[in-house]
Amino acid sequence: MIITELDKAWCRAATAKLIRNGKLKRQPCEICGARETLVHYIDYSDPEHIKWLCKRHKSEEGLSALQRTLLRYGLMAHYCTSLDLACRLPDVGSFRLQALMMEYEDPRVRASRRAAAGLSIARLIKRGLLECPRPGRSRLTPTGLKAARRLNPQCKPPTKRELARNIALRKAISAWEDAHPTLAGKRRRRPKQGTRPPGIELDL
């Protein structure tokens, strides 16, 4: 069943009429118990099939599965901020949409998934949950970080030991790529005569 904007407008008007007539009473938020609540429609064909949610939980309830996945990736990237700073990487705490699409081998599937993810990112930016430091990269805003933590309580930041091991591993990989640019598939700029490329220390 396709729900149009006219159906939504009719349902909102019918719900407002029921509230005015006293047939529907405003209830506290079903999740946190806040007094100031908004109507969240479960079925737009039934004006009485609603949930009372506060502004915060109504915003989270309207997130799609793809948007929730992107927020989880953003939270994981945020937890890697210390790792990015230690390795002097640009745009710390951000994730790349291109990296998320590498699991799809079919180019057509990858293109459709990328388009859907791009649209979801644009909607999250409009909601103030994501921001783009530069094209192709996204990271959580302070509001998005709070929402991502509430939606993904199982995601925990790495411990100091895990962080130290990851820093050493990433620096070792970067050093190997600098030493073998052809095998790594990277194009490195040749250093100017009389200068040496900066080495990477593995000491933590």
Side-chain angles (χ1 to χ4, degrees), residues 22-199:
K23 295 182 179 180
L24 281 179
K25 294 184 179 181
R26 189 175 299 274
Q27 303 292 332
C29 178
E30 296 184 7
I31 299 176
C32 65
R35 294 183 178 181
E36 296 183 3
T37 54
L38 301 172
V39 175
H40 176 71
Y41 292 93
I42 301 175
D43 185 4
Y44 278 100
S45 62
D46 185 1
E48 297 184 11
H49 195 191
I50 61 174
K51 292 171 64 176
W52 293 99
L53 299 174
C54 63
K55 184 178 181 180
R56 183 184 71 185
H57 288 114
K58 178 177 170 59
S59 178
E60 294 177 1
E61 191 77 15
L63 294 174
S64 65
L66 180 55
Q67 290 173 342
R68 292 172 182 264
T69 301
L70 291 171
L71 289 178
R72 187 176 74 250
Y73 281 125
L75 181 61
M76 295 168 61
H78 173 77
Y79 286 152
C80 293
T81 299
S82 301
L83 178 62
D84 296 341
L85 289 173
C87 297
R88 300 179 182 178
L89 297 179
D91 303 324
V92 296
S94 62
F95 64 94
R96 293 186 303 164
L97 182 59
Q98 181 180 2
L100 304 181
M101 299 295 110
M102 295 300 294
E103 58 180 301
Y104 304 106
E105 298 181 358
D106 190 346
R108 292 176 297 180
V109 175
R110 189 186 304 123
S112 63
R113 296 288 184 176
R114 185 181 181 88
L119 182 60
S120 295
I121 288 177
R123 289 176 176 173
L124 290 173
I125 292 174
K126 188 176 181 180
R127 288 189 176 197
L129 302 179
L130 281 182
E131 62 181 2
C132 286
R134 65 174 178 170
R137 290 185 176 270
S138 304
R139 68 183 170 205
L140 294 173
T141 62
T143 304
L145 178 60
K146 294 178 182 178
R149 282 175 173 169
R150 287 193 299 267
L151 294 173
N152 302 278
Q154 73 281 1
C155 293
K156 303 295 182 182
T159 61
K160 291 183 178 180
R161 180 175 296 180
E162 293 173 346
L163 185 61
R165 184 173 64 248
N166 292 335
I167 290 174
L169 179 61
R170 184 174 288 189
K171 286 184 176 182
I173 292 174
S174 181
W176 182 87
E177 290 178 346
D178 289 335
H180 306 85
T182 305
L183 296 176
K186 290 187 174 183
R187 295 181 180 179
R188 299 287 181 176
R189 294 183 179 179
R190 294 182 180 178
K192 296 181 180 179
Q193 294 182 355
T195 61
R196 297 178 60 186

